[in-house]
């Protein structure tokens, strides 16, 4: 076993999933003397390492095979198992994306080690990687360690940390392994989602709607307001049951973490599942009829009153 | 088709508190409900049964109080339910939980499809499905938003990856974890509720399963909870805006522009 921290670099099509780069920066920050290693799976014609190198890992390990194009979760986990079992890193971090959260547990099962999902923070206490995640809602955080087994594995929430470029001498290792095709699964196609409005986690302005703003009039006005402000509409969990919203619009623990310059919450009470998703918002304005709603404790500006009335006033007065 | 749906009973998340003295979760008097996403998994199973025939078996691991969720699942229309319950299973993390579930699925035998909700709403890991798939050496379609049976042995699933939709064909048996976009779970009808009480809930402990004692419960769990706490965050300085909406917006826009 060595003392390296490895970060799995997720590549979607030709694009590096930004969380992977954020994790390289975070790993460098907590590493101390431990080397930070980026782990890349890619096709032979790709050169993801060129970009990854700019973020300053001490080492890059690449696994190259043409079949990584349209590879299944099981195939990726199998390839990772070969290199991880051989080189035995101390810790292994994945983005808590759909892919990360699907591949990491399969690898965990092969390695018979621990895996903590969707961490909001990580730090070292001696050799233990302390993995911090919210649990059971209601303002409860949990610190989890994996004291006796290595690697220590965690998936980490996107957009919690910032990716920062760093120049260093990076050793690049092309690791030789055998791609084992999984017999009972075939990825038929991968179609990019044309998402004109981009991802809510990257929106600069977010108009968020909760149970107290769940009526068509308000939703319509919110769309208009978002258009005027160049922002996006997000929702708390109950509103994902509406036809016009899905998980992609959801803010909070089981949805998206957002970091806009301006967030305006309408009719959101502010349960912790929601609150953890908005911690990185710069300015928070909240509108709620309940003066004691927890959301006001997480807000810079509070309006106690009707969501519709405030929204109408905003629509009139915003140019 | 033999379909197993793995479900978890979760506390009503708003009601769990932390004991300030012991820093432990206070779970007494907390009502347990079926994990929301697991209802979508049960619904998907019931629809497949309608299409292809067969049976829907509910499977859960936990204390005897979990019977209430299994009863709810039976009332939705599942055929039978198995609870994996034993003191020895206690304190299990995702690895140990998935191991016991896998052994139970092996014991059930000839299972074509294993469904899970995409993740639990309490611990929120979404890991148990993929670990079970690995333990059973079967393919997985996680975070599926649709599944379609091609024939008795094949299924096509769509899953939304981070910026693309992946279409996957799997040969059964397979594991599928279900997103809530897939369907609208049905309500329990009075007739099905009545029927659910006529169905037996089978309980298996380690004695009924071929489990390795080293891989179950706390012993089989590599992770340890080091600390549970209520974070005390530096709150924001909150400015209360005037009660008149127009005056409030005027003040807000002024301050935001500064």
């Amino acid at each position: 076993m060595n003392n390296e921290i490895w970060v799995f670099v997720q590549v979607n099509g030709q694009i590096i999933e930004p969380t992977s780069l954020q994790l390289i920066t975070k790993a460098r920050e907590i590493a101390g003397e431990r080397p930070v290693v980026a782990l890349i799976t890619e096709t032979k014609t790709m050169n993801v390492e060129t970009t990854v190198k700019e973020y300053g890992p001490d080492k890059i390990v690449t696994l190259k095979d043409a079949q990584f194009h349209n590879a299944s979760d099981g195939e990726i986990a199998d390839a990772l198992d070969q290199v991880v079992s051989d080189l035995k890193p101390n810790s292994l971090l994945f983005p808590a994306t759909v892919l990360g959260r699907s591949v990491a547990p399969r690898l965990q099962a092969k390695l018979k080690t621990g895996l903590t999902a969707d961490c909001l923070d990580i730090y070292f206490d001696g050799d233990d990687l302390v993995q911090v995640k919210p649990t059971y809602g209601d303002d409860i955080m949990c610190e989890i360690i994996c004291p006796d087994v290595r690697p220590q594995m965690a998936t980490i929430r996107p957009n919690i940390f910032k990716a920062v470029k760093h120049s260093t001498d990076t050793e690049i290792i092309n690791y030789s392994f055998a791609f084992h095709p999984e017999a009972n699964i075939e990825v038929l196609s991968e179609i990019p989602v044309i998402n004109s409005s981009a991802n809510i986690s990257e929106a600069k302005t977010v108009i968020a709607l909760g149970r107290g703003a769940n009526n068509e009039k308000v939703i319509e006005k919110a769309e208009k307001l978002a258009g005027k402000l160049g922002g996006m509409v997000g929702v708390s969990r109950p509103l994902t049951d509406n036809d016009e919203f899905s998980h992609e619009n959801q803010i909070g623990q089981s949805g998206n973490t957002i970091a806009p310059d301006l967030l305006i919450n309408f009719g959101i009470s502010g349960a912790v599942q929601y609150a953890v998703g908005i911690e990185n918002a710069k300015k928070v304005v909240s509108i709620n009829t309940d003066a004691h709603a927890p959301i006001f404790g997480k807000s810079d500006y509070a309006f106690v009153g009707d969501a519709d009335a405030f929204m109408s006033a905003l629509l009139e007065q915003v140019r | 088709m033999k379909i197993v749906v793995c479900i978890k009973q979760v506390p009503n998340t708003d009601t769990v508190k932390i004991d300030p003295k012991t820093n432990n979760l206070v779970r007494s008097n907390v009502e347990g409900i079926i994990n929301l996403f697991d209802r979508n998994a049960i619904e998907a199973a019931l629809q497949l049964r309608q299409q292809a025939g067969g049976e829907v078996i509910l499977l859960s691991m936990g204390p005897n109080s979990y019977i209430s969720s299994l009863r709810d699942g039976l009332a939705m229309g599942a055929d039978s339910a198995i609870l994996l319950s034993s003191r020895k299973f206690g304190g299990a993390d995702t690895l140990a939980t998935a191991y016991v579930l896998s052994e139970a699925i092996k014991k059930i035998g000839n299972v074509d499809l294993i469904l899970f909700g995409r993740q639990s709403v309490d611990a929120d890991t979404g890991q148990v499905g993929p670990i079970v798939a690995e333990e059973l050496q079967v393919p997985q379609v996680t975070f599926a938003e649709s599944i379609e049976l091609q024939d008795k042995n094949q299924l096509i699933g769509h899953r939304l990856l981070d910026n693309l939709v992946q279409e996957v064909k799997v040969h059964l048996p397979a594991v599928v974890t279900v997103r809530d976009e897939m369907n609208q779970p049905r309500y329990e009808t009075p007739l099905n509720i009545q029927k659910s009480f006529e169905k037996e809930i089978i309980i298996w402990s380690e004695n009924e399963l071929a489990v390795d004692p080293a891989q179950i419960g706390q012993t089989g769990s590599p992770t340890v909870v080091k600390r549970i706490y209520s974070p005390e965050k530096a709150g924001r300085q909150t400015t209360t805006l005037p009660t008149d909406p127009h005056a409030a917006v005027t003040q807000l826009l002024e301050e935001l522009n500064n």
Side-chain angles (χ1 to χ4, degrees):
Chain A
M1 196 204 308
N2 61 45
N3 65 342
E4 293 171 350
I5 312 173
W6 286 25
V7 175
F8 174 71
V9 176
Q10 180 181 339
V11 183
N12 302 329
Q14 299 286 326
I15 303 156
I16 298 172
E17 208 288 318
T19 316
S20 308
L21 302 174
Q22 296 160 11
L23 293 185
I24 292 173
T25 301
K26 178 65 184 177
R28 283 189 39 246
E29 198 183 297
I30 64 167
E33 297 298 302
R34 303 171 183 86
V36 173
V37 180
L39 175 60
I40 299 172
T41 57
E42 60 182 348
T43 62
K44 290 186 169 151
T45 54
M46 285 161 74
N47 255 318
V48 173
E49 52 274 27
T50 323
T51 309
V52 171
K53 196 174 175 293
E54 294 171 17
Y55 292 83
D58 299 289
K59 243 193 281 184
I60 295 176
V61 175
T62 62
L63 277 60
K64 288 182 185 256
D65 194 290
Q67 295 166 90
F68 276 124
H69 174 70
N70 285 5
S72 71
D73 299 345
E75 288 163 347
I76 299 169
D78 176 81
L80 298 183
D81 178 34
Q82 294 178 46
V83 64
V84 170
S85 296
D86 180 22
L87 302 180
K88 299 188 169 45
N90 172 284
S91 305
L92 178 52
L93 311 178
F94 284 80
T97 53
V98 171
L99 187 81
R101 297 184 70 162
S102 304
V103 170
R106 277 203 89 123
L107 179 60
Q108 170 201 13
K110 288 172 188 287
L111 300 168
K112 298 272 180 257
T113 187
L115 169 65
T116 304
D118 210 25
C119 298
L120 296 177
D121 197 11
I122 44 170
Y123 65 91
F124 276 102
D125 177 11
D127 193 53
D128 289 329
L129 180 73
V130 182
Q131 303 146 28
V132 186
K133 68 165 295 176
T135 191
Y136 286 103
D138 212 6
D139 273 324
I140 297 169
M141 298 293 279
C142 204
E143 293 192 343
I144 295 173
I145 53 172
C146 179
D148 303 321
V149 192
R150 296 291 180 267
Q152 313 178 73
M153 292 176 65
T155 66
I156 293 160
R157 176 91 53 96
N159 302 318
I160 298 285
F161 308 114
K162 216 176 159 149
V164 180
K165 289 191 181 177
H166 173 75
S167 143
T168 187
D169 284 332
T170 303
E171 181 190 358
I172 297 181
I173 298 161
N174 195 346
Y175 186 82
S176 103
F177 75 106
F179 189 100
H180 297 132
E182 200 180 348
N184 294 323
I185 184 165
E186 191 187 340
V187 176
L188 300 175
S189 67
E190 289 188 338
I191 302 156
V193 183
I194 317 285
N195 198 342
S196 53
S197 44
N199 196 323
I200 192 157
S201 61
E202 282 153 29
K204 290 284 172 222
T205 303
V206 173
I207 311 297
L209 306 177
R211 218 193 286 266
N214 190 5
N215 70 66
E216 283 188 22
K217 230 169 45 184
V218 175
I219 293 170
E220 202 179 298
K221 284 180 190 167
E223 296 284 359
K224 255 189 221 162
L225 185 61
K228 259 187 155 172
L229 296 170
M232 287 185 69
V233 176
V235 295
S236 64
R237 159 116 193 106
L239 270 72
T240 57
D241 290 339
N242 292 21
D243 286 342
E244 53 271 70
F245 301 116
S246 74
H247 185 70
E248 309 317 309
N249 306 93
Q250 191 196 335
I251 299 164
Q253 192 179 343
S254 53
N256 297 285
T257 302
I258 59 170
D261 294 333
L262 175 63
L263 166 67
I264 313 181
N265 296 306
F266 289 94
I268 286 174
S269 63
V272 74
Q273 295 96 320
Y274 180 80
V276 295
I278 65 165
E279 273 169 13
N280 298 334
K282 287 206 186 88
K283 283 280 175 228
V284 180
V285 183
S286 296
I287 294 90
N288 201 299
T289 49
D290 175 8
H292 302 291
I295 193 70
F296 289 134
K298 327 255 178 208
S299 306
D300 301 291
Y301 297 96
F303 178 79
V304 182
D306 182 51
D308 191 18
F310 191 86
M311 185 104 69
S312 302
L314 258 175
L315 268 175
E316 267 173 47
Q317 294 179 52
V318 170
R319 267 165 226 142
Chain B
M1 248 194 134
K2 204 180 207 178
I3 307 171
V4 168
V5 186
C6 296
I7 68 168
K8 182 177 186 186
Q9 181 163 311
V10 296
N12 205 336
T13 52
D14 291 339
T15 59
V16 178
K17 296 272 181 259
I18 202 161
D19 182 322
K21 284 193 192 124
T22 63
N23 260 353
N24 284 327
L25 294 176
V26 183
R27 293 192 222 191
S28 51
N29 302 322
V30 171
E31 188 201 4
I33 52 167
I34 297 189
N35 178 44
L36 278 177
F37 297 115
D38 299 352
R39 285 187 175 273
N40 298 96
I42 297 172
E43 178 62 36
L46 296 174
Q47 288 181 15
L48 288 171
R49 183 185 65 186
Q50 205 164 1
Q51 193 188 339
E55 58 174 321
V56 174
I57 303 164
L58 303 176
L59 180 63
S60 191
M61 184 178 102
N64 286 344
S65 60
Y66 275 37
I67 284 176
S68 75
S69 303
L70 290 168
R71 201 64 83 190
D72 278 349
L74 289 172
M76 281 178 73
D79 298 287
S80 58
I82 301 168
L83 178 66
L84 308 172
S85 186
S86 161
R87 223 167 249 280
K88 295 232 165 78
F89 296 156
D93 68 5
T94 55
L95 189 68
T97 302
Y99 170 68
V100 176
L101 290 174
S102 307
E103 288 304 319
I105 292 162
K106 285 181 196 163
K107 184 180 163 84
I108 293 167
N110 299 313
V111 174
D112 297 298
L113 185 62
I114 303 128
L115 297 179
F116 290 82
R118 54 172 282 176
Q119 68 205 89
S120 65
V121 296
D122 56 351
D124 217 17
T125 77
Q127 275 163 215
V128 174
I131 301 174
V132 166
E134 184 61 35
E135 293 281 354
L136 298 174
Q137 288 294 298
V138 300
Q140 70 185 32
V141 185
T142 55
F143 298 88
E145 49 182 9
S146 74
I147 45 173
E148 227 176 280
L149 214 51
Q150 293 303 102
D151 54 53
K152 265 184 20 209
N153 304 313
Q154 283 187 84
L155 177 146
I156 288 189
H158 288 92
R159 62 174 186 153
L160 191 60
L161 286 182
D162 305 291
N163 57 359
L164 44 86
V165 176
Q166 196 181 55
E167 187 179 40
V168 191
K169 182 162 82 179
V170 289
H171 292 259
L172 305 181
V175 163
V176 174
T177 77
V178 173
R179 288 177 71 123
D180 50 340
E181 284 89 343
M182 187 183 286
N183 56 42
Q184 186 70 46
R186 68 192 63 189
Y187 290 107
E188 299 156 11
T189 63
L191 179 65
N192 275 339
I193 292 172
Q194 199 185 337
K195 273 199 206 155
S196 79
F197 281 94
E198 290 157 18
K199 294 173 187 166
E200 187 195 1
I201 292 177
I202 299 161
I203 296 181
W204 287 346
S205 71
E206 68 280 6
N207 298 322
E208 281 79 25
L209 299 172
V211 289
D212 169 8
Q215 293 189 58
I216 63 173
Q218 203 147 20
T219 322
S221 300
T223 57
V224 174
V225 176
K226 187 182 175 215
R227 188 161 81 104
I228 297 178
Y229 62 101
S230 303
E232 298 204 8
K233 289 181 194 126
R236 293 173 189 255
Q237 285 284 358
T238 311
T239 307
T240 302
L241 298 169
T243 50
D244 173 65
H246 284 94
V249 168
T250 305
Q251 183 186 334
L252 176 67
L253 294 178
E254 251 170 43
E255 296 205 16
L256 287 179
N257 285 333
N258 284 333

